[in-house]
Amino acid sequence: MKPEIKKLWVEALRSGKYCQGMAKMRSNKMGKKQFCVLGVLCDLHRKLNRSSINKWFVNKWGEFFYRGKDCFPPSVVSEWAGMPDGIVKVIYGNGEEEISVLNDKGLSFKKLADLIENHLVEEEN
């Protein structure tokens, strides 16, 4: 992962500006925007790459999509962040775990930020 993107992501997760949600990158619960850990990464991409195609879209059932994806970042975000396969893993417990799974297990954004900052599994080239 690109160090500058990693730093921005960790800062955003610790900022308190994002309400944590699960299962989807973005949702709306009782009128409140919620993001999963990967949704925060997509929202950073949106904010730093303003374009008519870099927006959250909602369908008629109220499901949110970023560049056509609802559960995992689109390839443009993965490439921008320097994680070509789109998977973010950290060392957790006795092995590696996907950060999205830990989010859905209820780990807080603060804990996820600590894991990304200190225990990110870097891809081998």
Side-chain angles (χ1 to χ4, degrees), residues 67-114:
R67 302 276 309 248
K69 301 289 185 175
D70 64 342
C71 292
F72 293 97
S75 60
V76 68
V77 174
S78 299
E79 291 166 11
W80 168 79
M83 43 182 229
D85 71 0
I87 304 292
V88 179
K89 290 185 179 182
V90 294
I91 302 298
Y92 185 77
N94 294 326
E96 297 178 4
E97 187 74 69
E98 287 185 39
I99 200 77
S100 59
V101 171
L102 295 174
N103 180 93
D104 290 352
K105 286 183 178 180
L107 269 70
S108 70
F109 276 170
K110 181 183 181 313
K111 179 65 177 170
L112 295 172
D114 291 346

Side-chain angles (χ1 to χ4, degrees), residues 23-109:
K24 300 281 186 173
M25 289 193 303
R26 181 174 166 190
S27 58
N28 225 359
K29 302 287 184 194
M30 297 166 63
K32 190 167 191 171
K33 292 179 192 175
Q34 293 186 346
F35 295 83
C36 82
V37 66
L38 296 175
V40 172
L41 184 64
C42 287
D43 206 51
L44 286 174
H45 178 267
R46 179 190 64 81
K47 289 177 179 177
L48 296 171
N49 297 277
R50 297 266 182 209
S51 165
S52 62
I53 59 172
N54 290 337
K55 293 184 178 183
W56 289 102
F57 291 97
V58 61
N59 67 15
K60 65 181 180 179
W61 297 283
E63 299 167 322
F64 285 86
F65 294 84
Y66 187 73
R67 302 276 309 248
K69 301 289 185 175
D70 64 342
C71 292
F72 293 97
S75 60
V76 68
V77 174
S78 299
E79 291 166 11
W80 168 79
M83 43 182 229
D85 71 0
I87 304 292
V88 179
K89 290 185 179 182
V90 294
I91 302 298
Y92 185 77
N94 294 326
E96 297 178 4
E97 187 74 69
E98 287 185 39
I99 200 77
S100 59
V101 171
L102 295 174
N103 180 93
D104 290 352
K105 286 183 178 180
L107 269 70
S108 70
F109 276 170

